[in-house]
Amino acid sequence: MFAGPGTLLFFCVVIVPFVYGLYLTFTSWDGVSAVKPFVGLDNFAAVIQDTAYWQAMGRTAIYSFFAVILVNIVAFALAYLVTSGVKGQNFFRAGFFVPNLIGGIVLGYVWKFVFNRAFVAIGSAITAETVPSLLSTPGGAMFCLILVSVWQYAGYMMLIYVAGFMSVSKDLQEAAMIDGCNSAQAMKNVTIPLMRASFVQCLFLSITRCFMVYDVNLSLTNGEPFGSSVMAAMHVYRQAFTYKNYGLGQAEALVLFVVCAIVGVTQVMIGKKGEVDA
């Protein structure tokens, strides 16, 4: 009785659209007409030949690599800070988590204003020269995407690391200190190994979020300048809804899903092998 409504909603909202999407990958539907011509594997052949799609996948991989690393480093550092007994740590926990509550579209527009207006005005005032926006160059746009993603996701991952820190027994840490470990050695040899489950979970969540990023990409850069910041999800959306190649766009979305699933599941399997029980 309790699981039934949730199971029904999940089936209707996730399973049925996913199966229907698989069917559409074998059609040349334009997303509008009533006719859905069957084309077999032509869409998947077109995916292989779509250089723009693979360039977007490459940019997504680069963005995800740096964003995932920085998100988890910052989140771990914040979690350590707010569990170390610092005064007002509950306030800081709430403050660091707030960016995750802001929608990606709103977040992108806010930071776009910061990069295009605030930073430019401050830089121009300091140097007495006109300073270009970071969003005006390909490298700068990628840097901005990574920075905003770290600012948004770190607070959420921090809560998972906080739970990890709190699950480590103080007795084990004190025993390590008695045996001659300093704080850094106790962290490396006792705390971090016992928090491996938290690392696995945070890495999985950050990898999947970064591979599927769209909202911040749309509102912050919209793929500019010159299409140099178009991520895979944005390319898929444009293929399906802008260029009216819904079947091809669905096939590219499926490939993106498979790549993301392979990377995420592989990371989880590797991380689970080394988990340590207290």
Side-chain angles (χ1 to χ4, degrees):
M1 290 176 62
F2 289 102
T7 303
L8 179 62
L9 288 174
F10 180 79
F11 182 80
C12 294
V13 177
V14 178
I15 302 300
V16 172
F18 182 80
V19 174
Y20 183 61
L22 289 178
Y23 160 71
L24 292 177
T25 62
F26 300 105
T27 70
S28 60
W29 189 40
D30 60 6
V32 178
S33 62
V35 180
K36 302 178 180 63
F38 184 79
V39 295
L41 298 176
D42 290 355
N43 285 327
F44 293 97
V47 171
I48 296 175
Q49 299 171 3
D50 189 351
T51 56
Y53 174 70
W54 294 109
Q55 289 173 353
M57 284 287 286
R59 286 190 289 268
T60 303
I62 294 172
Y63 155 81
S64 299
F65 175 79
F66 288 103
V68 168
I69 292 175
L70 291 175
V71 163
N72 284 277
I73 290 176
V74 172
F76 183 83
L78 293 178
Y80 178 74
L81 173 66
V82 299
T83 56
S84 61
V86 64
K87 187 176 181 180
Q89 62 183 25
N90 291 331
F91 171 79
F92 288 117
R93 289 184 190 182
F96 293 141
F97 182 74
V98 165
N100 190 74
L101 302 177
I102 304 174
I105 296 294
V106 176
L107 192 68
Y109 283 123
V110 169
W111 276 95
K112 189 174 185 177
F113 173 83
V114 172
F115 288 126
N116 285 341
R117 300 294 183 87
F119 286 173
V120 169
I122 294 173
S124 300
I126 293 175
T127 62
E129 297 179 359
T130 301
V131 177
S133 170
L134 283 171
L135 295 173
S136 63
T137 62
M142 182 65 73
F143 170 79
C144 292
L145 276 171
I146 295 171
L147 178 63
V148 173
S149 297
V150 172
W151 188 79
Q152 181 184 19
Y153 297 146
Y156 181 80
M157 304 304 165
M158 175 199 70
L159 294 184
I160 300 175
Y161 284 124
V162 166
F165 272 113
M166 295 178 67
S167 67
V168 178
S169 173
K170 297 295 183 183
D171 294 339
L172 294 175
Q173 296 174 333
E174 292 174 359
M177 301 292 284
I178 292 173
D179 289 340
C181 290
N182 55 35
S183 299
Q185 290 172 330
M187 174 69 71
K188 177 183 176 183
N189 298 308
V190 177
T191 305
I192 291 180
L194 293 174
M195 289 179 59
R196 193 169 184 120
S198 298
F199 283 102
V200 170
Q201 186 174 0
C202 286
L203 285 172
F204 177 79
L205 291 174
S206 53
I207 287 172
T208 52
R209 285 191 174 194
C210 289
F211 261 94
M212 299 297 182
V213 65
Y214 174 74
D215 48 4
V216 173
N217 191 192
L218 175 66
S219 57
L220 182 63
T221 68
N222 196 27
E224 302 300 332
F226 314 113
S228 61
S229 63
V230 174
M231 299 297 169
M234 176 174 283
H235 178 86
V236 168
Y237 178 89
R238 290 179 175 180
Q239 191 71 261
F241 297 102
T242 303
Y243 309 136
K244 305 301 181 184
N245 297 323
Y246 200 94
L248 177 58
Q250 189 67 36
E252 292 180 342
L254 180 62
V255 173
L256 174 61
F257 168 77
V258 171
V259 170
C260 181
I262 291 173
V263 174
V265 172
T266 301
Q267 172 264 318
V268 171
M269 292 177 63
I270 293 174
K272 288 288 186 181
K273 289 181 179 179
E275 284 192 10
V276 177
D277 295 325

